Amino acid sequence: ENSLNYEIELSPYNIKLYRERAELNLKNKKYNEAIQDYTRIIEFNSSNPAENYASRAYAYYLAGENQLAIKDYNEAIDYQPQCYAWYCFRSLAYKNCGSKSAYKEAIIDLNTAYELMHAKDPKYIILKAGIFVLDHQICILNVECFIV
């Protein structure tokens, strides 16, 4: 990590180095540092905005910042609305928000992801989702994706 910091000092606009450090920080559970690096990537690099926002959204998600994760997944979806993965990941952030309305949004995202996956490749069967009602709340236990 120290060598990456040094390399970034020498090349402060090298997106590849920031991405490498961000991924290392995620691996080491240094989520705030990863978020900072992904923010720099978003500021410096407009060539792949959907992936950049989704990467930062994932870091926010891991840091427990679900509302910020949702905001960044919204950005990723705005840039790349046909990417089913962004809807799947955003559904997990919605699920973690814990409200009934957030659970409903999660289910909407999972349905959208299914539609997009199925349109892309009808062999996909998505969402063996453990969904149940507990005390009038919709709960999503897990999401799995299967290919037939």
Side-chain angles (χ1 to χ4, degrees), residues 4-30:
L4 270 176
N5 292 337
Y6 180 71
E7 288 182 56
I8 288 172
E9 278 184 37
L10 296 177
S11 302
Y13 297 103
N14 186 327
I15 300 305
K16 182 181 173 190
L17 294 174
Y18 281 104
R19 186 170 303 284
E20 192 176 329
R21 187 171 70 180
E23 290 170 4
L24 181 64
N25 283 327
L26 284 180
K27 182 180 173 185
N28 292 325
K29 299 183 180 184
K30 296 180 178 179

Side-chain angles (χ1 to χ4, degrees), residues 53 62 66 124:
Y53 276 104
L62 291 176
N66 293 297
Y124 275 110

Side-chain angles (χ1 to χ4, degrees), residues 85-102:
W86 309 152
Y87 294 93
C88 286
F89 291 129
R90 186 174 69 178
S91 75
L92 295 174
Y94 274 126
K95 180 195 96 158
N96 284 347
C97 288
S99 71
K100 187 174 181 180
S101 63

Side-chain angles (χ1 to χ4, degrees), residues 68-116:
L68 293 171
I70 291 166
K71 183 177 178 279
D72 274 3
Y73 282 127
N74 290 343
E75 290 288 336
I77 289 167
D78 284 347
Y79 283 106
Q80 202 174 18
Q82 299 302 311
C83 181
Y84 60 83
W86 309 152
Y87 294 93
C88 286
F89 291 129
R90 186 174 69 178
S91 75
L92 295 174
Y94 274 126
K95 180 195 96 158
N96 284 347
C97 288
S99 71
K100 187 174 181 180
S101 63
Y103 287 133
K104 287 181 181 179
E105 291 296 327
I107 290 169
I108 290 168
D109 273 358
L110 293 176
N111 286 331
T112 302
Y114 170 77
E115 294 297 325
L116 291 170

